[in-house]
Amino acid sequence: MDNLFLLLCLISFVCIFLGLLMPKRFVFWSNKKTRKSAGLVYVVLTIVFFILFGMTVPPSQQASTSDVKTNETTKVKKVETVNKKDTEKVEKINNTSTQNDKASSKVATSQSTNTIEDSKKNRIPVTLTKTVDGDTIKVIYKGKEETVRYLLIDTPESKKPNTCVQPYAEKASDRNKQLVNSGNLTLEFEKSERDKYDRLLAYVFVNGISVQETLLKEGYARVAYIYEPPYKYLSKYEKAEDIAQQKHTNIWSQSGLVTEKGFVGCATKTVADSSTKSNSNTNKNSVATTTTPKPSNNTGNSNAFKNDPSDDQESNTSCKGKIKGNANSKIYHVPGGAYYDKTQDNIVWFCSAADAEAAGYRASKR
């Protein structure tokens, strides 16, 4: 019955519009076939049939509609519950990930700390006897005075034979002297303990602070001589060098001073080398000629360079007395040569001229 009333309601609703459009056909209860009469009657019929439809709808359908709404509400609640559970799972995963990251960070920190502690244990206390220049000192090591060359850095030259004093060399030397005299001195070795000149190669620390890193950070040194990487402190040294370079500190303040091969230029017009011309026909004294800084192939006279016996070194002594090479000038001298006996600093002995030339040395012109 409810479906019948619904159908009649829909027909009456349609007849409203048809009666307004064609009153003569759809008004059959009166002789006055007007639009007003048609619209009024069909509106009333529509309302009546709609009310009857509502009254005849079975309670089960109303309950079903209510159940549908209830089910939809329940589904929404279930979805919300599932979303909450998913959110909780995600939070748990995030918390677990965070805990794992913290644990990894602690492990990495612990490993780094252990490495540093191991390095500290390997450091050897020594006694300073002399500061040679910006990257070289002399110490008492195992009861003997040894020359220590700083590992991985290079400073401008101030005492290298046959060369002028380079810019910032004296400042670097003074700063190095200040550092190594400021506390307890220790050495740490890595890979080769000695270089080809039999000098100790080491990391130098004063009261646990790296002297190399300080010189780099303050712009007195450059990172150099990376022969057998990896090195323990290389990355720290490179960062320290970058800091000075970005701030244009000291050696980095002068464009072109620092090159991959070393330092260029002279700080003063100090005589680097001079030659002595003697007159064999007279008894006059030798006179030293002063020139502007200029590299020379030979060892200068006493006015140009005075040898420091404490700075003398020899290597490859198994060939001693044969070919004598100067490690600074990369020139070798043969017995009977003009400068064979005069060459006294940083000597490298060779058994033959061929050995010297194979090592990058050239023959003296005199």
Side-chain angles (χ1 to χ4, degrees):
M1 183 65 69
D2 56 325
N3 291 333
L4 177 62
F5 286 130
L6 178 60
L7 180 60
L8 291 173
C9 179
L10 292 173
I11 292 172
S12 299
F13 182 74
V14 172
C15 288
I16 293 173
F17 298 98
L18 294 175
L20 293 174
L21 294 173
M22 297 177 291
K24 291 182 179 181
R25 291 186 179 183
F26 287 91
V27 176
F28 50 83
W29 59 84
S30 173
N31 293 329
K32 294 182 179 181
K33 297 182 180 184
T34 64
R35 293 178 178 177
K36 182 177 181 182
S37 174
L40 182 61
V41 171
Y42 286 119
V43 167
V44 172
L45 287 174
T46 301
I47 293 172
V48 170
F49 289 137
F50 183 76
I51 292 172
L52 292 173
F53 168 73
M55 293 174 63
T56 56
V57 173
S60 60
Q61 289 186 5
Q62 295 179 357
S64 176
T65 303
S66 176
D67 291 342
V68 170
K69 292 182 178 179
T70 302
N71 290 335
E72 289 179 351
T73 304
T74 304
K75 287 181 180 178
V76 170
K77 289 183 178 179
K78 286 183 178 179
V79 170
E80 290 177 350
T81 304
V82 171
N83 289 339
K84 286 183 179 179
K85 289 182 179 179
D86 290 341
T87 302
E88 290 176 355
K89 287 181 181 179
V90 171
E91 288 179 351
K92 286 182 180 179
I93 292 172
N94 289 337
N95 290 336
T96 303
S97 177
T98 302
Q99 290 175 355
N100 290 337
D101 290 342
K102 289 182 178 179
S104 299
S105 178
K106 287 181 179 179
V107 170
T109 303
S110 176
Q111 291 176 345
S112 176
T113 303
N114 291 337
T115 301
I116 294 172
E117 290 300 322
D118 291 341
S119 296
K120 288 182 178 179
K121 291 178 182 178
N122 294 330
R123 292 173 191 171
I124 303 169
V126 293
T127 302
L128 178 72
T129 59
K130 181 182 178 182
T131 304
V132 178
D133 56 22
D135 53 29
T136 311
I137 56 176
K138 290 182 180 290
V139 301
I140 300 299
Y141 174 70
K142 294 184 179 180
K144 178 184 175 184
E145 186 179 58
E146 297 271 12
T147 300
V148 180
R149 179 64 171 81
Y150 291 4
L151 193 60
L152 295 181
I153 73 164
D154 181 34
T155 62
E157 299 292 347
S158 61
K159 295 185 179 181
K160 187 175 181 179
N162 306 323
T163 60
C164 62
V165 177
Q166 295 177 325
Y168 298 98
E170 293 181 350
K171 288 185 177 181
S173 181
D174 291 343
R175 181 56 175 147
N176 183 35
K177 185 175 183 179
Q178 182 184 17
L179 290 170
V180 294
N181 282 281
S182 63
N184 297 321
L185 196 66
T186 55
L187 304 180
E188 182 180 338
F189 299 101
E190 184 174 9
K191 304 182 187 300
S192 302
E193 186 174 305
R194 294 180 182 273
D195 64 6
K196 61 183 179 181
Y197 307 122
D198 203 37
R199 298 177 298 184
L200 294 175
L201 292 174
Y203 299 113
V204 182
F205 297 87
V206 175
N207 296 334
I209 299 173
S210 171
V211 176
Q212 277 109 311
E213 187 175 358
T214 302
L215 291 171
L216 287 164
K217 193 177 293 184
E218 294 179 2
Y220 290 113
R222 68 182 184 99
V223 176
Y225 309 121
I226 307 169
Y227 295 132
E228 302 176 44
Y231 289 94
K232 190 183 303 181
Y233 299 111
L234 179 57
S235 60
K236 291 182 68 176
Y237 289 179
E238 289 175 336
K239 289 178 182 178
E241 182 186 55
D242 287 341
I243 291 172
Q245 194 168 1
Q246 290 170 10
K247 293 181 178 179
H248 303 287
T249 307
N250 292 320
I251 63 172
W252 303 105
S253 64
Q254 186 173 330
S255 178
L257 171 61
V258 185
T259 69
E260 291 183 358
K261 296 182 178 180
F263 302 91
V264 177
C266 299
T268 61
K269 293 184 178 180
T270 304
V271 177
D273 182 35
S274 60
S275 60
T276 302
K277 296 182 179 181
S278 59
N279 188 346
S280 59
N281 298 323
T282 66
N283 293 324
K284 295 181 180 180
N285 294 328
S286 298
V287 179
T289 304
T290 303
T291 63
T292 54
K294 180 179 179 182
S296 174
N297 298 328
N298 305 315
T299 304
N301 59 33
S302 59
N303 289 333
F305 171 71
K306 292 183 179 180
N307 179 60
D308 180 0
S310 65
D311 194 26
D312 295 348
Q313 299 180 67
E314 294 185 37
S315 59
N316 197 25
T317 54
S318 60
C319 296
K320 188 171 183 177
K322 298 181 180 179
I323 304 298
K324 180 187 288 187
N326 185 319
N328 295 317
S329 64
K330 294 293 183 179
I331 296 173
Y332 70 84
H333 306 273
V334 298
Y339 295 100
Y340 187 84
D341 294 330
K342 293 181 180 179
T343 301
Q344 298 177 13
D345 264 348
N346 295 325
I347 296 171
V348 182
W349 293 100
F350 297 101
C351 293
S352 67
D355 292 341
E357 290 173 2
Y361 288 70
R362 67 174 180 80
S364 172
K365 294 181 179 179
R366 298 182 66 184

